Amino acid sequence: MEAAAASSSPLSAFFSRPASRLRPPGFRFLALSVPFLGELHTRRCVALRPRYLRLSVAARSFGDGIIARPSSELRKKQSSGSLTEDDKLRALRELFSRPGIGIDVYIIPSQDAHQSEFIAECFMRRAYITGFTGSAGTAVVTKEKAALWTDGRYFLQAEKQLSCDWKLMRSGNLGVPTTPEWLNDVLAPGCRVGIDPFLFSSDAAEELKEAISKKNHELVFIYGYNLVDEIWGKSRPKPPMKPTRVHDIKYAGVDVSAKLSSLRSELIETGCTAIVISMLDEVAWLLNMRGNDVPHSPVFYSYLIVEIDGAKLFIDEAKVTKEVMDHLKSAGVELKPYESILSEIESLAARGAKLWLDTSSVNAAIVSRFKSACNKHFAKFEKQARDKKVDGETSPDMATNKHQDIRIEGPTGLYKLSPVTLAKAVKNKSEIDGMRSCHLRDAAALVEFWAWMEEEIHKNAVLTEVEVADKLLEFRKKQAGFMDTSFDTISGYGANGAVIHYSPEPDSCSVVDDKNLFLLDSGGQYVDGTTDITRTVHFGEPTPRQKECFTRVLQGHIALDQAVFPEHTPGFVLDVLARSSLWKIGLDYRHGTGHGVGAALNVHEGPQSISFRYGNMTALQKGMVVSNEPGYYEDNSFGIRIENLLLVEVVKLPNCFGGIGYLGFEKLTFVPIQSKLVDVSLLSPMEINWLNDYHSQVWDKVSPLLDGSAREWLWNNTRPLPAR
């Protein structure tokens, strides 16, 4: 899946913030000095995340999860609802004047209370209110206007899906204001801007507050309920309630006790007594658990608080099986109700905790509540201390400096990136072995699929984009350990392939034939790993223009695959390699080149990325997994993307200048790249050798898993190009 063009900020439609350089870690857990890249594709890279219901509302029990259901079926459910877009906006605006609310604007982001890219259907509020189903975007509704911000991956999709009631704001384009800039322009000074603090990270909320204060606007946290939920009403899907499971140690590689011990060492080193983990994939990774609450991501709605002498998991207990309960107890993890997170935060403050909070991911409701509780604590003890000073007593809770100013010990916060983020991104041996293994099984499924599809096209069978995606799911389901797709399959024929995050709908999708290019971006969640692959093919005769564009995309793919670079190199440094061939003829693409990928976790994982956005200074490190996916999209004509996943590895070289080691990439993806689309005259001998060598590896690794027509298809599609 293509990497997001958005920045690494929690709300990329709002702000674009540079990040400071990440220094090499001394050990596995490290507090990052860059924002979490939830954006990468958007996926995402990516990377937006906010939500604000009162936790008792946001954490209501969750309903049925979805495993390996066709994406077209999912979208049917998402689009249900009796109100028109105009009716929804009218109903939402009526709530602005409700007693206790009194706002002039309401902002609806895409994420849940955990800043997730993929979210449960019941939290798809922005999609419900706008009709736009892309994974990234922010909706803003004033009393007179409605606007949606999204990035270049979704411009064409948003144009098709938004009604005339909405104005599309193409983030990143010249002259397009950010959300705060737009609010400051269209609102009279002194307006009240309402948000759900559970849906915004603390950083995003603070930045928004500061930006709109220039026109004396006030940011209003609405805790009682979410306004979109109010108008969604009974048609809102039920929250997920499927059970969690233990992620076997043979896939996890490190047990929970060892992970918690490493994290506690980090707490001690920084002088903290506790940390809040709110990102769902971080909780799942740290506890060696997986769940089914979110389509495409094996995570479960929860928070985790780790203290020096214990840990508490905030989750609906109905999701915890006996096996999981025993697993948690053995690691000293206590269960708490999901909705009790705010009261626990207040309790930590009352006990004088030194609390680590990642304000780039922990929602504004939690951080605000902790700061408020700290302020109450200090106000109480300041009064007590002053009373004792008046009485001539010396309090054990206070000390005086040379100016006799009272200093009081109490709760404090350390606002720093979660140390789990990097620990999760750097895969251990077992995780790497699982990624290698699942990619080969996934490759076998894809070869069987492509062999089937090519035969069907040659028989003039009528196949829609949705039917093709659903058939691919059937082949993946046959593979051992398959759990779900890792994102909605992007099945785009012809002009639809130019819609970077295209989602085919049963009633409006195209028929795939042999007259144009077909782009297929898909992935699988396996018990031992996560895959993400894109191939572009033509079942007939491609035009010279299509061949040239495809070949230049391939050249960029090869250049990045073969990159060798010094340790401590951030991913953005490599992005130019993937674009250079396209730039030579004045072409480019509007998304990042690479995103991190989790091990049997989220298909978009930070903090690493390879993108033209130079704000992310996270260094690529041995053990990280990134995608390599340059592309080119000709609006209303065709789209091209070639994507493999790569593992960062140490490269042994004859020199070691400055004592610095060098890194390169190991391929994880092994599926043929269609030779028919290659203009060999544009390739250098080295590039021809790369493609031939790659296809030789594909045959050697995947053919033992196949037989019959699929094996024959693989043989025919891995034959070497003639040398020049």
Side-chain angles (χ1 to χ4, degrees), residues 2 60 64 135 161 216 281 303 319 333 376 400 411 419 486 500 506 508 512 584 599 668 691 718 720:
E2 83 296 338
R60 295 181 280 250
D64 293 336
S135 66
Q161 292 183 330
N216 201 31
D281 60 335
Y303 296 94
K319 299 177 185 177
V333 180
K376 289 179 182 177
T400 58
S486 56
I500 298 173
S508 60
V512 182
K584 289 175 181 176
L668 293 175
L691 187 58
T718 53

Side-chain angles (χ1 to χ4, degrees), residues 24-130:
F27 39 76
R28 190 159 176 75
F29 280 98
L30 181 73
L32 300 184
S33 56
V34 299
F36 171 74
L37 238 129
E39 53 133 351
L40 279 200
H41 256 209
T42 64
R43 356 141 168 296
R44 350 340 30 279
C45 266
V46 237
L48 294 94
R49 281 125 195 121
R51 201 138 301 237
Y52 84 82
L53 297 166
R54 158 172 284 153
L55 257 190
S56 58
V57 178
R60 295 181 280 250
S61 42
F62 301 112
D64 293 336
I66 299 158
I67 290 272
R69 226 168 70 193
S71 56
S72 56
E73 194 176 325
L74 271 174
R75 285 191 294 276
K76 279 186 200 171
K77 265 187 99 171
Q78 292 171 17
S79 61
S80 62
S82 56
L83 295 178
T84 66
E85 306 308 321
D86 187 53
D87 290 336
K88 294 173 188 175
L89 286 173
R90 187 181 302 110
L92 180 63
R93 286 169 174 142
E94 287 174 359
L95 295 177
F96 287 7
S97 57
R98 177 180 287 187
I101 297 179
I103 59 174
D104 301 285
V105 186
Y106 194 57
I107 302 177
I108 307 108
S110 300
Q111 292 72 34
D112 56 23
H114 305 269
Q115 316 308 295
S116 308
E117 179 185 4
F118 296 128
I119 59 178
E121 292 177 63
C122 58
F123 297 140
M124 295 179 179
R125 298 177 173 106
R126 191 228 63 228
Y128 171 77
I129 198 71
T130 65

